[in-house]
Amino acid sequence: MKNFSYNIKVLLFLLPIICLAQSPKKDYTTLSYDELRALYWKNKKNQANQLEYAYIYLTKANRENIPIQKAKANYLFAILYYKTDINKAIMYLDSVIKYSQNTGDKFFPAGAYCEKADLLKRQFKFKEALVNYNLAEKMAFKTNIDYYYVVREYIGTTKSEDLGDYNEALDIYTECYKYYKSKDVRSSKYARDYQSIIFGIADCYKSLRNIDSTTYYNKLGYRESHITKNEEYKYLFVLNEGANQVEGKNYKVGLDSINIALPKMIEYNNIGNVLAGYFYLGKAYEGLGKKAIAADNFIKVDSIYKVTKEISTEFIDGYPYLISYYKNLGDKENQLKYITAYMTIDNTLQKNYRELNKLVHKEYDTPRLMSDKESLITSLNNDKIKTYWRFGVLFLITIGAGGFGIYQYKLKKRYRSRFEKIMKGTAIIGDNEIEINKGKEIKIAGTKIEDIGIAEELVNQILEKLDDFENKKGYLESNITVQILSTTFETNTKYVSKIVNVYKGKTFTQYINDLRIEYAVTQLQENKMLRKYTIQALALEFGFNNAESFSAAFYKKTGIKPTYFIKELDTVV
């Protein structure tokens, strides 16, 4: 169940001057920062005006060269792009962080790190989000201990609602709970945060199927929100207890609570908990054997998902119910409809949580779904052409996804094999193994000298110079060419090229690139700091002009990409 605790509490710094807002003045340069912020918020329905005031604010901050005001100006820009351009909003938040470092401000840069983390979560970049939350809590711990515990709550919410780490989230919520217990939790300053933490604890216990503990904290939260007249939270605790009772199979008791709370969630436009309300109504009616009413509520969950495109693993169990329900009714079109919806959501969740091993709980496994789809294809052959093609496309997508998955698995296995061979001193190109160690290169027989038309003495001189060139790592010079090397050797390009072709068994360009890659492989194994470089920086380090040429040469030599090689090194070294 979604905790609707506001994630932009740092906005408090922007709101204290609303009462000062006046009609825009002709000479904005005379306005204070507080007056400009007031005008910005007074025009929150007019983005063009807000943009104008943000620019005026930034101009004033730059002119007066006040870092914290530069940070707050960039924050105003970031807010404008929250819903329309996440990457642009993050760019402005990075500027907030840059200008607010070491200013001692109560909210920045901690607040900016939090906002950035929230935006990263919307992109399903949970690891990066947690890194930014951790930076936020470190900053807040130094400047604003109250905000530190707000950040801790955000981390707990991410662990619980996004990652399903309920025990870890519970530990964080409990830590925050102990902090707030030492405060006046019924004051306007702490009441909402305290009640939000209580909700987090209750919701974790519900997810862990600890019915009694969930009820205890729901009652505590209800009492506190009632005393402080926080109506939305009061009904949120009623809804959560209703869901708790449904989980405990006390369906009628659960229904009473949900039916009281759900209209309030709709009134407050709390979409996440409207979805939760309908989902648990569906589970309650399913438990009572009222199949049609249960289906109606699960359909409402699907309708909300279609609008918001947001759903968690907690609320997808209604789809297997709908698939079975319509199958029993013989309604093949609706059965197909919810198979499609379920597989689409399943694919989305698998994709977005893959790195975190967040696997969707399935009542229907993939083979069973495939079997059902094949049966539906056969039975719908004589139905409307539109339905036929829709299902056919779905089938092809599923097969394609399966084939792609097999291809990815084989590719990963092949890459791993190549990596292991590199670590043992060999690399793979195609199906043929080659030795990386240049000491094992095959030497051409002496009779070969006559074949290439160059005097033996000159050949030996050039080979010695090539050895010296390799020992001094001259190949790391980015501008090295056969012309430059020939000039250095005091000979002509034809001789150098031919000797490299015959004695090194490759073209001059391949010879230089192979030397660079052999050196790169060794250095990346020995120097951990190099692994933190970008591919562009590594390219320059090893004599290449750009990342693309480095990656291409690395792959040609070793059969794997440098990014994969570095990633695997970090797991074994």
Side-chain angles (χ1 to χ4, degrees):
M1 187 177 294
K2 288 291 182 184
N3 184 345
F4 65 95
S5 177
Y6 294 100
N7 199 22
I8 311 181
K9 295 179 181 178
V10 70
L11 288 177
L12 292 173
F13 99 90
L14 293 165
L15 300 178
I17 320 298
I18 296 298
C19 61
L20 296 177
Q22 305 169 9
S23 298
K25 300 179 181 181
K26 292 183 179 180
D27 186 8
Y28 295 116
T29 60
T30 63
L31 298 181
S32 68
Y33 292 111
D34 288 339
E35 288 172 319
L36 287 170
R37 282 198 298 269
L39 287 171
Y40 177 93
W41 285 107
K42 184 180 180 181
N43 287 269
K44 61 183 179 180
K45 293 184 179 180
N46 188 328
Q47 192 176 55
N49 284 352
Q50 284 190 303
L51 194 60
E52 179 184 0
Y53 294 126
Y55 273 118
I56 295 168
Y57 195 115
L58 180 59
T59 301
K60 179 180 175 69
N62 285 334
R63 184 175 65 250
E64 297 177 359
N65 197 25
I66 304 175
I68 190 59
Q69 297 300 347
K70 292 181 184 180
K72 292 179 179 180
N74 278 279
Y75 186 70
L76 295 180
F77 283 106
I79 293 170
L80 293 175
Y81 296 104
Y82 265 40
K83 294 183 179 180
T84 59
D85 191 335
I86 290 179
N87 290 327
K88 201 165 188 177
I90 289 175
M91 178 188 73
Y92 280 111
L93 288 172
D94 284 336
S95 293
V96 176
I97 293 167
K98 171 185 172 182
Y99 288 117
S100 59
Q101 293 286 355
N102 303 317
T103 61
D105 188 80
K106 289 182 66 177
F107 289 109
F108 293 129
Y113 280 123
C114 272
E115 303 298 347
K116 183 178 178 181
D118 186 59
L119 293 174
L120 289 167
K121 283 169 57 176
R122 285 165 56 185
Q123 296 178 319
F124 301 99
K125 297 178 180 178
F126 296 106
K127 288 184 178 179
E128 293 179 44
L130 286 173
V131 168
N132 279 272
Y133 278 136
N134 289 334
L135 289 170
E137 66 178 340
K138 288 178 183 178
M139 294 292 179
F141 188 78
K142 299 175 183 177
T143 60
N144 187 345
I145 196 65
D146 284 340
Y147 193 62
Y148 168 81
Y149 283 98
V150 170
V151 179
R152 292 293 290 160
E153 181 187 354
Y154 294 158
I155 295 173
T157 301
T158 303
K159 294 282 187 180
S160 173
E161 295 179 1
D162 296 310
L163 308 181
D165 296 334
Y166 302 116
N167 286 305
E168 194 170 343
L170 188 59
D171 289 340
I172 295 172
Y173 287 140
T174 302
E175 172 195 340
C176 296
Y177 178 78
K178 291 177 181 177
Y179 173 75
Y180 288 120
K181 287 295 288 183
S182 67
K183 306 296 180 182
D184 181 2
V185 294
R186 292 173 183 170
S187 67
S188 59
K189 182 176 181 180
Y190 293 108
R192 193 177 191 90
D193 289 335
Y194 177 56
Q195 290 160 31
S196 182
I197 287 297
I198 294 173
F199 176 85
I201 293 174
D203 205 44
C204 279
Y205 276 126
K206 176 172 68 66
S207 298
L208 294 168
R209 302 294 190 268
N210 190 326
I211 307 299
D212 292 339
S213 293
T214 304
T215 297
Y216 172 83
Y217 283 101
N218 279 331
K219 287 182 177 179
L220 174 61
Y222 180 88
R223 182 172 69 249
E224 291 298 321
S225 55
H226 178 72
I227 291 172
T228 58
K229 296 181 170 48
N230 187 336
E231 289 295 295
E232 189 170 3
Y233 260 100
K234 182 173 75 172
Y235 287 104
L236 182 63
F237 283 110
V238 173
L239 177 62
N240 200 43
E241 182 57 25
N244 184 46
Q245 293 300 321
V246 171
E247 293 289 5
K249 303 187 184 305
N250 300 314
Y251 301 118
K252 291 184 178 180
V253 176
L255 278 175
D256 290 341
S257 295
I258 296 170
N259 283 323
I260 291 171
L262 182 55
K264 291 293 183 180
M265 296 296 106
I266 296 172
E267 178 185 333
Y268 289 120
N269 197 32
N270 190 328
I271 301 300
N273 285 303
V274 171
L275 188 151
Y278 285 127
F279 174 76
Y280 281 104
L281 280 178
K283 290 198 71 174
Y285 284 116
E286 178 187 0
L288 292 171
K290 297 183 178 181
K291 298 180 180 180
I293 303 177
D296 287 343
N297 282 283
F298 289 136
I299 289 170
K300 289 176 181 177
V301 172
D302 178 64
S303 298
I304 294 172
Y305 164 71
K306 286 177 180 176
V307 173
T308 64
K309 295 302 178 185
E310 293 184 8
I311 196 168
S312 69
T313 55
E314 182 181 3
F315 302 133
I316 68 169
D317 285 347
Y319 288 97
Y321 179 88
L322 289 172
I323 293 168
S324 295
Y325 176 76
Y326 284 111
K327 182 177 182 180
N328 291 333
L329 290 178
D331 186 342
K332 295 170 185 175
E333 288 195 9
N334 273 316
Q335 184 186 355
L336 175 62
K337 174 182 176 181
Y338 291 109
I339 285 177
T340 304
Y342 184 48
M343 292 188 72
T344 300
I345 293 171
D346 174 54
N347 181 63
T348 300
L349 291 174
Q350 290 283 351
K351 176 181 178 182
N352 292 332
Y353 291 89
R354 185 180 295 121
E355 288 188 4
L356 300 155
N357 296 319
K358 183 75 173 182
L359 302 178
V360 180
H361 168 71
K362 296 184 181 67
E363 181 174 328
Y364 276 75
D365 58 20
T366 300
R368 182 178 173 185
L369 283 173
M370 289 293 297
S371 175
D372 287 348
K373 285 188 296 180
E374 290 171 0
S375 297
L376 284 172
I377 289 175
T378 302
S379 65
L380 290 172
N381 274 337
N382 297 321
D383 287 353
K384 295 179 181 179
I385 208 75
K386 180 179 179 180
T387 303
Y388 173 85
W389 281 108
R390 180 174 56 184
F391 187 83
V393 169
L394 173 64
F395 179 76
L396 290 174
I397 290 173
T398 305
I399 296 298
F404 182 73
I406 293 172
Y407 169 77
Q408 288 294 316
Y409 171 77
K410 289 183 177 179
L411 183 63
K412 184 177 180 181
K413 187 175 180 180
R414 188 158 60 247
Y415 271 27
R416 182 64 193 180
S417 174
R418 291 172 179 175
F419 172 79
E420 290 173 353
K421 291 179 184 296
I422 291 172
M423 298 301 290
K424 294 176 182 178
T426 64
I428 290 183
I429 296 179
D431 296 323
N432 301 314
E433 294 189 1
I434 65 167
E435 296 293 337
I436 284 182
N437 188 341
K438 65 183 180 182
K440 296 181 181 179
E441 291 178 348
I442 300 173
K443 298 296 182 179
I444 307 299
T447 55
K448 196 76 177 180
I449 295 171
E450 295 180 359
D451 296 341
I452 64 174
I454 303 175
E456 180 178 358
E457 181 179 357
L458 181 56
V459 169
N460 289 332
Q461 288 176 3
I462 293 176
L463 285 174
E464 287 177 4
K465 290 178 180 180
L466 284 173
D467 286 342
D468 185 62
F469 167 76
E470 292 176 15
N471 291 334
K472 292 180 178 179
K473 299 178 178 59
Y475 48 82
L476 296 180
E477 295 295 329
S478 61
N479 62 345
I480 192 70
T481 64
V482 67
Q483 291 82 5
I484 292 173
L485 196 60
S486 298
T487 302
T488 303
F489 288 179
E490 298 180 341
T491 186
N492 64 53
T493 58
K494 181 179 179 181
Y495 288 169
V496 173
S497 293
K498 185 167 285 190
I499 289 171
V500 168
N501 291 162
V502 173
Y503 285 83
K504 303 298 181 180
K506 58 193 74 172
T507 66
F508 182 84
T509 299
Q510 186 181 352
Y511 165 66
I512 295 296
N513 284 346
D514 284 355
L515 288 171
R516 290 169 175 170
I517 298 306
E518 290 167 10
Y519 180 75
V521 167
T522 301
Q523 289 301 302
L524 287 170
Q525 290 181 68
E526 295 176 355
N527 189 344
K528 292 183 179 180
M529 287 302 298
L530 282 176
R531 299 177 212 160
K532 301 182 184 297
Y533 285 18
T534 63
I535 297 301
Q536 176 65 31
L538 288 174
L540 299 176
E541 180 76 13
F542 298 128
F544 294 91
N545 290 317
N546 54 63
E548 290 75 15
S549 59
F550 172 57
S551 294
F554 197 100
Y555 185 82
K556 185 175 181 180
K557 178 68 174 173
T558 66
I560 60 178
K561 294 289 186 181
T563 49
Y564 177 86
F565 181 67
I566 292 168
K567 179 181 176 183
E568 291 300 305
L569 277 177
D570 286 334
T571 65
V572 298
V573 179

